Amino acid sequence: MGPSNSGKSTLASAIGRARGLPPIHLDQLSHLPGTDWVPRADEDFMILHDAAISGQHWVMDGNYSRFLLQRLARATGFILLDTSTATSLLRYFRRSWFEHERHGGLDGAQDSVKWDMIHHIAVATRKNRRKYRERFNRISLPKISLSTPGAIARFYRSENLVRSAS
């Protein structure tokens, strides 16, 4: 869990490769493929979400707090990427301009810089960060919070994770 563009999908994919777990990217379940991030109907997303967490083993990235309790009931651990707004904005611009394929990307969609997303990262995410931190503090699962690119890089090294291209 964490703010937009904090590295959730990349980390989930790396954990999945290292541990032999299927990575599940909630953005892909929540949006219609082949669109410019058009959301699915909430009911359709819930069906896909619940099917994904019914599996024996998985690693999942994304927020979608309305379904968090179902995920936590089946999860064995929790990672919060609590990166700064500046880091999230930098990652957003980099992925929009330079990364044509990325972990957690939507099939058929091409990321581009959008004012709504910049506003979301710079304004809405500030309130969401507090919610993520409050949820993190209430979770009784084994958990870790990583709040800087350096902390994330150290976690990758300590867990023998490899960032690879999509």
Side-chain angles (χ1 to χ4, degrees):
M1 195 169 198
S4 296
N5 298 281
S6 59
K8 299 179 301 290
S9 297
T10 302
L11 180 58
S13 293
I15 292 170
R17 276 190 310 280
R19 306 293 186 267
L21 304 171
I24 299 164
H25 306 290
L26 289 178
D27 280 347
Q28 292 176 340
L29 301 183
S30 179
H31 296 87
L32 294 169
T35 69
D36 191 20
W37 299 95
V38 173
R40 288 183 197 273
D42 221 30
E43 186 175 303
D44 294 340
F45 174 41
M46 182 183 66
I47 290 167
L48 292 171
H49 173 276
D50 291 350
I53 64 171
S54 71
Q56 185 72 11
H57 303 285
W58 42 264
V59 59
M60 185 173 285
D61 73 87
N63 297 315
Y64 302 95
S65 300
R66 62 192 179 277
F67 302 128
L68 181 61
L69 292 179
Q70 294 100 303
R71 288 195 301 280
L72 291 177
R74 304 238 340 117
T76 58
F78 188 88
I79 300 172
L80 174 63
L81 297 182
D82 195 15
T83 58
S84 70
T85 298
T87 296
S88 293
L89 282 169
L90 178 64
R91 289 178 59 88
Y92 174 63
F93 290 126
R94 186 179 67 214
R95 91 174 190 195
S96 296
W97 289 331
F98 304 113
E99 298 174 7
H100 301 291
E101 291 186 32
R102 64 176 182 85
H103 300 283
L106 189 61
D107 288 339
Q110 184 172 357
D111 289 322
S112 60
V113 174
K114 296 176 177 71
W115 174 248
D116 287 346
M117 190 61 174
I118 294 169
H119 182 266
H120 173 76
I121 294 168
V123 178
T125 297
R126 188 167 292 138
K127 183 172 72 171
N128 291 343
R129 275 181 217 286
R130 285 191 298 272
K131 289 180 189 175
Y132 300 154
R133 175 58 57 194
E134 290 167 4
R135 286 187 182 108
F136 178 83
N137 290 335
R138 289 192 309 260
I139 291 171
S140 60
L141 294 167
K143 60 189 176 182
I144 186 170
S145 176
L146 305 168
S147 59
T148 66
I152 294 168
R154 285 188 297 278
F155 182 78
Y156 270 84
R157 286 191 302 275
S158 72
E159 297 297 319
N160 295 315
L161 303 176
V162 177
R163 292 180 189 166
S164 74
S166 297

